[in-house]
Amino acid sequence: MEERIKQIMADVLDLDPDSIDESTEMDVIESWDSLNHIQLCLSLEQEFQISLGVSEIESMFSYSNILEVLQKRI
Amino acid sequence: MTNEVQTKQSTRQTFLGALDAGSLVKAQLAGRSLVSENCNAAQFSFICNAIVKAAPKMLSLKPLKVALLSSFSIEFIHDSLVALGFLEGLHVEIYQAGFGQFRQEILNPRSGLYAFKPDVVIMAVEGKDWMPTLYRDYLDIIDGELDRDLVEFRKDILNLVRIFREQLGSTLLIHNFFPPVWRQLGILDGHVNQGQAELLNEANRLLCGLCRETQGVFVLDYAGLVSRFGAKQWYDDRMIYYARLPISQPMLPQLAREYMKFFRGLAGKSKKCLVVDLDNTLWGGVVGEDGLDGIKLGPDYPGNAYVAFQEAILNLHKRGVILAIASKNNPADVDEVFSKHPHMVLKKKHFAQEQIHWRPKSESVKEIAARLNIGLEHVLFVDDSPVECHQVARALPMVTIIRLPEQPERFICALLEEGLFDGLSFSQEDRNRAELYRQVEQAEQLRGRSASLEDFYRELEMEVSFHPVQANSVSRAAQLSQKTNQFNVTTIRYSDSEIAARAKDHDWLVTTIRVKDRFGDNGIVALTLARFCSDELDIDTLLMSCRVFGRTVETAMLAYLCDRARRRGALRIRGKIIPTSKNGPSQDLYETHGFQRVSVGSNGESVWLLDLSIGAIAYPKWLRIVAENPQVDKESPVTL
């Protein structure tokens, strides 16, 4: 699952998947703006066949948080 | 890693490698397989990001500037639009106005929209944002001014389109409206006078009428698109409120695909010819093995699905798509099916070319394109066999291929979904095209029999008539300029409105050419645009459909221009050749007609002059020339 999350993040945010780790968060990644954030969350929904609530979307501002939310859901 | 993931990863590597090497065709081939099935939004972003980095190297991409005016956050469509455009050879550049800014952008002559100089403008406005009362407060107006929103809408849209046209000649696409998902009167909506659905149909009808009347303005059938997928799947209620993004993520590429149908038409990339396989495509089973009585075609499943597929193909034929067969079969078996099977919808007469033998299908496709004189990029190849599809893709990467799904009931959707044959006009010529191609075939046979070329020309009994472009021929003229690639000296593409504007201009000579011969009327098959500049007539466009290649029609066109030029007192005719990969057949036009070359640019562009006092060109004597309306020197303006 971690690999798949990293791949989606890499695709949407135009990053190298290997560069993504616990330190990857919205505040430090320039391409991670509010538009791409929605794009990212919707892409993760599509990849994992889930539907996220708005409160979840608003808590997924870093790789660690994304992992945490998705682990609960899958 | 599963196999699927591995395949995806390796296709991605192929895609990136091809982009890196600057190989457009290979990158497109890999890209097509990436977007084909279950392509999620992230993959579109991946493709888009890679393209944006490689675009400067991809010189053969054709730029297309698209402006999106919307009442919602349409920016999420960006990546899929860029990716899908790339697969069609387009470098799509997008301008997005802030959501809800569509009126301001059009009304303000100094807006970003006009500064961007778009080729296409898309007005993507949801019905509820334009006619809020009708959607939100319908029950409040039910006893009163039910059509108030409609009257307002009509005034608003007429005004916006008029102002837009004063500023820009670009193509304009306007979304029509999907009616309210939840009708406020429930099941009685259709029972009361003017229910919500009825009122919205009325709005859509108004819009159709307006678009029909205004050149270069088209309805984008958003209501039809949403219906095909279903409103509950199309809309994402959560994102409507959270991000003003009403369209669900998996549906956005479908909207982009709908836009692509128009872009393809605009860029002259619509398909012209459908090459079909026979066994397990037009009927179930293999005729060589199952025999005439064993193949599945008829009133019961799965035969009825094949009948329906044939009907869909026949309808393409009726709208002007050229049909051809590429089948590995014994010709006698095939003939038997066509002549004896009671449920064959398609007949031999519907096919302009047949390639029925055991040689590779790529050879068949190549031969068909050569005989029809059309480019391979205008051919769509349809086959059920993955092996055949792969073979054609390998040998002829510029051919578009549809591999049919397993079940025959899904064939029609696979064939029609991308709207590959959709063009921006539907003329009498389209309706008669299949007939015309048969005439060409007959003329070719005559050429084979005639002793000399001159005898051949005489036996054709050709009549060539010249007409200034008229209101009823503008769209055919624009269509020719958009679609003609081979005999086209400058390959300048014109929209309907651009042609019409030049026709009204006193200095421009916009002439359509109709060719008849003993086999029938070919219709309007050639076009010239020329402009008087001081003492010269400058040929801007001279093009001719491949249907009348090699019959001296081009000489007659130059003779006609010489004639017009002299009547207006011009001393010289100036012509330009802009070489492309396709217009080889027209590159020596001026040289063979006695023009002198005056310059050659670094890009191969050459300029030619003909001194009328020395070298005026005469009409070939085997042609009957009709130059109607010789008063076209425009003492009186042409009415359009």
Side-chain angles (χ1 to χ4, degrees), chain B residues 54 211 310:
Chain B
C211 293
Q310 290 201 18

Side-chain angles (χ1 to χ4, degrees), chain B residues 234-410:
Chain B
W234 186 267
Y235 291 114
D236 179 343
D237 291 332
R238 172 194 49 168
M239 283 295 147
I240 291 178
Y241 302 110
Y242 184 63
R244 290 181 193 275
L245 169 65
I247 303 170
S248 72
Q249 177 89 335
M251 292 296 111
L252 277 168
Q254 302 300 345
L255 182 58
R257 288 195 163 96
E258 198 67 16
Y259 293 162
M260 287 310 304
K261 296 176 186 177
F262 284 91
F263 298 173
R264 228 181 264 126
L266 273 175
K269 290 174 183 289
S270 309
K271 305 296 166 207
K272 298 175 180 171
C273 172
L274 170 64
V275 178
V276 286
D277 172 43
L278 297 175
D279 290 328
N280 285 318
T281 297
L282 292 194
W283 53 73
V286 177
V287 65
E289 288 165 19
D290 305 326
L292 180 66
D293 302 325
I295 59 172
K296 297 179 186 82
L297 186 70
D300 303 314
Y301 188 84
N304 49 6
Y306 289 99
V307 170
F309 187 52
Q310 290 201 18
E311 286 165 350
I313 293 174
L314 181 59
N315 280 327
L316 287 177
H317 169 81
K318 285 178 187 166
R319 72 186 247 205
V321 174
I322 310 162
L323 304 183
I325 296 171
S327 167
K328 286 187 177 170
N329 245 317
N330 181 357
D333 292 341
V334 171
D335 286 347
E336 198 184 11
V337 178
F338 273 100
S339 61
K340 294 194 182 143
H341 201 289
H343 298 294
M344 279 296 286
V345 175
L346 291 166
K347 310 287 180 204
K348 276 284 178 83
K349 67 170 183 191
H350 298 127
F351 293 92
Q353 289 291 328
E354 298 163 23
Q355 291 285 319
I356 302 169
H357 48 63
W358 300 93
R359 292 197 300 281
K361 293 222 178 177
S362 58
E363 281 182 27
S364 299
V365 173
K366 222 166 143 179
E367 183 69 20
I368 288 165
R371 290 205 186 183
L372 293 171
N373 216 351
I374 58 176
L376 283 165
E377 71 282 8
H378 291 121
V379 173
L380 175 66
F381 175 75
V382 172
D383 202 305
D384 65 296
S385 153
V387 178
E388 301 294 1
C389 289
H390 184 73
Q391 194 271 327
V392 174
R394 269 298 169 87
L396 308 170
M398 59 296 269
V399 172
T400 303
I401 294 170
I402 291 178
R403 186 193 148 194
L404 293 170
E406 298 278 325
Q407 305 91 329
E409 64 273 18
R410 292 175 55 205

Side-chain angles (χ1 to χ4, degrees), chain A residues 8-9 12-13 32 36-44 66:
Chain A
I8 295 285
M9 290 178 70
V12 175
L13 304 174
W32 196 338
N36 270 339
H37 182 64
I38 291 177
Q39 187 103 319
L40 175 61
C41 294
L42 294 173
S43 299
L44 290 165
I66 289 175

Side-chain angles (χ1 to χ4, degrees), chain B residues 5 137 233 322 352 365 373 389 500 512 514 548 578:
Chain B
V5 174
D137 307 322
Q233 196 186 336
I322 310 162
V365 173
N373 216 351
C389 289
T512 58
R514 174 182 284 268
V548 291
I578 303 176

Side-chain angles (χ1 to χ4, degrees), chain A residues 7 11 14 45-46 52 58, chain B residues 12 41 49 53 238 242:
Chain A
Q7 187 62 58
D11 286 351
D14 199 14
E45 284 189 327
Q46 244 184 315
L52 297 166
E58 295 203 323
Chain B
R12 280 184 168 211
N49 289 333
K53 282 173 213 151
R238 172 194 49 168
Y242 184 63

